[in-house]
Amino acid sequence: MPMSNSAVQKLGKRLELPEAVSEDDLTLLEDLLVDYSELLTSARGDIDELCDIVEWPLGVTHRLKTTDTLIQKLQRAKARGSSTNLARIQDIAGIRVSGRLTLTEQDRLADLVVERFERQGHKCSIKDRREDPMVGYRALHVIISLSGRYVEVQIRTVGQDLWANVFERMADIFGRGIRYGEPPEYGGKAVTDIIASMEKFSATLYGLEMDVAASVISGREREASLARLDSVLVALREILQDIEDVKGRSVT
């Protein structure tokens, strides 16, 4: 029988404490993730079907947070003085949809996801990270409530996806906390300046994406408008490759 939300919340309270996690609680967390995995597989099937019928070419991936990642998330929140309810975490199970979309098409795709799952009786909400970015991260998230658990569908343009991948690699090197506005674990001011530059890059990209969306609405050809983003996308791919090279050298 699946754990109740109150039991999940109590488990989270125990996991957020800095002392060693007990074997019993680790087993409970693993069982909880099995429940999420089943919901994620079901939701992924619906998203795949939806992406097959729309006119835009889209890539779809999914992932489930690991026990280590979840424990770190809970303990990091506790250390910041903002305890997190494990039962209310919305991104334990995630699906990512990305493609060569305009912002208007991104909105439309989010609406289609909501329509599909609400027809099945599930509650959905949309979190717009484009106007309210998290340390430069921009995307459109659809949060689906399934059997008292959440599956998060991240919908990204190509530019948003590339930017996020670059910043994710930076977090691998300089500390996962930079994704939440925490200072880097390594590199000091030099890395802080890079993070600020990435935030500015994100704002510039978003401005271009808004211009492209307005151009398409006004009647200009879609592909010609989207091509205006190509030089920015090339720059992001080059940055990502540079970071991968740095990671590769640090490993070897």
Side-chain angles (χ1 to χ4, degrees):
M1 178 182 294
M3 294 173 62
S4 67
N5 282 345
S6 62
V8 173
Q9 183 177 5
K10 291 175 182 177
L11 172 63
K13 291 297 182 185
R14 297 193 298 272
L15 294 174
E16 72 182 10
L17 299 176
E19 53 260 27
V21 175
S22 72
E23 289 295 328
D24 287 344
D25 282 344
L26 186 58
T27 298
L28 286 173
L29 184 58
E30 290 170 345
D31 290 343
L32 178 64
L33 290 180
V34 170
D35 293 341
Y36 272 100
S37 179
E38 293 173 355
L39 294 173
L40 180 58
T41 299
S42 175
R44 169 67 193 262
D46 281 291
I47 295 297
D48 283 339
E49 289 180 9
L50 182 61
C51 290
D52 285 341
I53 63 177
V54 298
E55 59 186 294
W56 316 298
L58 300 167
V60 184
T61 59
H62 68 274
R63 62 100 186 98
L64 191 69
K65 284 190 181 299
T66 65
T67 54
D68 286 346
T69 301
L70 265 178
I71 292 169
Q72 290 167 12
K73 182 183 182 79
L74 291 166
Q75 294 184 352
R76 189 164 49 238
K78 179 69 172 179
R80 292 198 303 265
S82 56
S83 182
T84 298
N85 184 344
L86 177 58
R88 302 293 297 174
I89 294 178
Q90 297 177 339
D91 64 345
I92 293 176
I95 299 172
R96 182 175 303 158
V97 183
S98 61
R100 196 169 173 82
L101 301 167
T102 68
L103 297 178
T104 304
E105 292 163 351
Q106 188 180 23
D107 284 324
R108 178 56 182 151
L109 183 56
D111 289 340
L112 290 172
V113 172
V114 170
E115 290 170 10
R116 185 177 186 92
F117 284 93
E118 286 189 343
R119 281 200 307 269
Q120 299 173 7
H122 305 299
K123 292 183 179 180
C124 299
S125 62
I126 293 178
K127 183 184 294 183
D128 194 337
R129 281 292 185 191
R130 297 172 303 183
E131 288 291 342
D132 182 26
M134 171 70 78
V135 199
Y137 171 79
R138 285 179 162 87
L140 201 54
H141 293 184
V142 179
I143 312 301
I144 307 166
S145 178
L146 299 168
S147 304
R149 308 280 188 246
Y150 297 100
V151 173
E152 179 186 76
V153 181
Q154 300 175 349
I155 302 174
R156 300 177 181 174
T157 65
V158 171
Q160 292 165 1
D161 193 51
L162 276 171
W163 187 97
N165 288 339
V166 170
F167 207 77
E168 188 74 14
R169 297 302 186 274
M170 288 175 56
D172 289 341
I173 297 172
F174 302 116
R176 308 297 292 170
I178 67 171
R179 299 174 303 159
Y180 307 102
E182 297 175 9
E185 296 175 8
Y186 311 98
K189 184 177 182 303
V191 176
T192 301
D193 290 344
I194 294 172
I195 293 170
S197 296
M198 284 295 294
E199 291 188 71
K200 291 179 181 177
F201 199 125
S202 173
T204 299
L205 173 61
Y206 185 51
L208 287 172
E209 288 183 323
M210 287 192 291
D211 289 343
V212 167
S215 296
V216 174
I217 290 173
S218 66
R220 290 182 56 180
E221 290 186 10
R222 178 180 182 277
E223 286 304 318
S225 296
L226 284 168
R228 295 166 55 193
L229 297 168
D230 286 348
S231 61
V232 178
L233 301 182
V234 168
L236 277 172
R237 290 188 180 99
E238 290 175 348
I239 294 171
L240 181 58
Q241 185 58 57
D242 288 343
I243 293 174
E244 295 289 4
D245 291 343
V246 170
K247 279 189 64 181
R249 289 196 296 272
S250 65
V251 170
T252 56

